[in-house]
């Protein structure tokens, strides 16, 4: 033990120098940290200084166009694919296009739609309730047609009809042809009419029709087969060779 104490006393000077150097380095590092914290700017100040040194380019909005140029865009072909015609007192009205009803998918309003071919288009498109088609709005979809609205007027279009045919049919219904006083009247039980309406396939089996054309338009249907047994049309007086031109005052324009 005395040997180690003697060694320590002999080297006390060197130990004091090492301890002083270490303590001085520690104090210098602590002083550097304190001064850096006091003199270093905050992150916000540094960002502001950086922005001042390299300012960003200010993007200016394009100059405002005069109203007349915007009006030309709205009334031009950019937003309309149909010609524009002048109405009364110079009011511009979109041209109403005629169309043909190719088929319907009736049912829930969520998926009910109509296959419509607009005049001038090569393929039909699907349209749903409350959609616009050819200047008309679809307001109802039935099993055999649709109902459209043009302004305050409504028109029912049947499958296979054009809107022009539907207008002619509606006019014929509103102005029915006067009955022929010499026409033969036949009474048919209502139950037979309901039975035939509920079984149209049987009606087509017992009867055959051939269209009569005039200027490429159907003007009537010629009876080519009329079976006598259990046939409503036979009970109503139809025979082979007869021509059906109207039903309930409505002209036959398609099969």
């Amino acid at each position: 033990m005395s040997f180690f104490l003697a060694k320590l006393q002999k080297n006390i000077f060197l130990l004091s120098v090492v301890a002083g150097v270490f303590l001085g380095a520690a104090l210098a590092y602590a002083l550097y940290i304190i001064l850096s914290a006091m003199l270093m700017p905050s992150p916000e100040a540094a960002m502001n200084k950086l922005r001042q040194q390299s300012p960003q380019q200010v993007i200016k909005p394009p100059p405002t166009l005069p109203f007349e140029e915007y009006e030309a865009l709205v009334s031009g072909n950019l937003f309309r694919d149909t010609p524009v015609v002048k109405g009364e007192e110079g009011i511009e009205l979109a041209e109403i296009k005629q169309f043909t009803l190719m088929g319907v998918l009736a049912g829930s309003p969520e998926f009910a739609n109509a296959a419509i071919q607009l005049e001038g288009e090569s393929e039909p498109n699907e349209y749903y309730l409350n959609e616009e088609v050819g200047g008309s709005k679809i307001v109802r979809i039935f099993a055999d047609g649709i109902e459209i609205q043009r302004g305050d007027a409504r028109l029912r279009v049947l499958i296979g009809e054009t809107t022009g045919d539907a207008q002619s049919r509606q006019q014929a219904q509103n102005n029915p042809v006067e009955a022929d006083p010499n026409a033969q009247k036949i009474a048919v039980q209502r139950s037979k009419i309901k039975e035939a309406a509920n079984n149209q396939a049987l009606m087509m089996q017992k009867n055959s029709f051939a269209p009569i054309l005039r200027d490429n338009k159907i003007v009537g249907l010629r009876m080519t087969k009329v079976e006598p047994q259990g046939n409503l049309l036979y009970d109503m007086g139809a025979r082979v060779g007869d021509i059906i031109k109207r039903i309930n005052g409505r002209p036959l324009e398609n099969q």
Side-chain angles (χ1 to χ4, degrees):
M1 185 68 179
S2 59
F3 174 76
F4 288 105
L5 290 174
K7 284 283 187 181
L8 184 62
Q9 290 176 357
K10 188 179 291 187
N11 298 314
I12 191 65
F13 177 75
L14 294 176
L15 292 175
S16 300
V17 171
V18 172
V21 172
F22 179 79
L23 181 61
L27 291 175
Y29 180 75
L31 182 62
Y32 170 76
I33 296 297
I34 295 173
L35 292 176
S36 298
M38 294 176 62
L39 299 178
M40 183 176 295
S42 63
E44 292 79 6
M47 291 298 296
N48 293 333
K49 185 176 181 181
L50 181 62
R51 292 192 186 99
Q52 293 175 1
Q53 292 176 354
S54 58
Q56 296 182 353
Q57 182 180 2
V58 179
I59 301 176
K60 296 182 179 180
T64 304
L65 296 177
F67 174 75
E68 291 75 11
E69 295 194 23
Y70 288 111
E71 186 181 24
L73 285 176
V74 174
S75 61
N77 289 331
L78 181 62
F79 294 97
R80 290 194 180 99
D81 57 357
T82 58
V84 175
V85 296
K86 293 287 185 178
E88 295 181 359
E89 298 180 358
I91 300 176
E92 293 184 347
L93 301 173
E95 181 183 8
I96 295 179
K97 286 187 177 181
Q98 303 295 329
F99 62 79
T100 303
L101 179 62
M102 309 301 293
V104 297
L105 179 61
S108 173
E110 298 177 355
F111 64 81
N113 62 78
I116 294 176
Q117 183 168 356
L118 274 172
E119 182 182 14
E121 295 185 358
S122 57
E123 297 292 337
N125 292 306
E126 292 182 355
Y127 295 88
Y128 292 82
L129 279 175
N130 299 321
E131 279 195 336
E132 297 283 342
V133 49
S136 305
K137 182 179 180 181
I138 301 177
V139 293
R140 298 182 67 184
I141 297 180
F142 307 96
D144 60 345
I146 63 174
E147 186 175 12
I148 60 175
Q149 183 169 355
R150 292 177 175 175
D152 297 331
R154 292 196 175 190
L155 177 66
R156 182 164 182 170
V157 185
L158 303 179
I159 296 176
E161 276 189 331
T162 65
T163 47
D165 295 337
Q167 288 177 328
S168 299
R169 173 175 51 79
Q170 182 168 291
Q171 291 176 358
Q173 289 178 345
N174 296 335
N175 302 294
V177 179
E178 295 183 1
D180 185 355
N182 299 322
Q184 181 183 4
K185 296 182 180 180
I186 299 176
V188 180
Q189 295 180 358
R190 184 181 299 272
S191 60
K192 290 186 176 181
I193 296 178
K194 289 184 177 181
E195 181 181 358
N198 294 329
N199 194 356
Q200 298 183 26
L202 182 61
M203 286 283 294
M204 298 303 296
Q205 292 176 3
K206 293 181 176 294
N207 304 280
S208 296
F209 312 89
I212 299 177
L213 302 178
R214 181 180 301 165
D215 297 331
N216 295 325
K217 296 185 65 175
I218 296 178
V219 295
L221 297 176
R222 185 186 301 276
M223 304 293 298
T224 58
K225 183 180 76 171
V226 184
E227 293 186 2
Q229 298 297 329
N231 189 353
L232 175 63
L233 295 185
Y234 184 88
D235 295 340
M236 294 177 66
R239 299 295 184 267
V240 174
D242 289 349
I243 299 175
I244 303 177
K245 293 185 176 181
R246 296 178 182 273
I247 294 180
N248 290 338
R250 292 168 50 180
L252 291 179
E253 298 175 340
N254 57 64
Q255 298 192 61

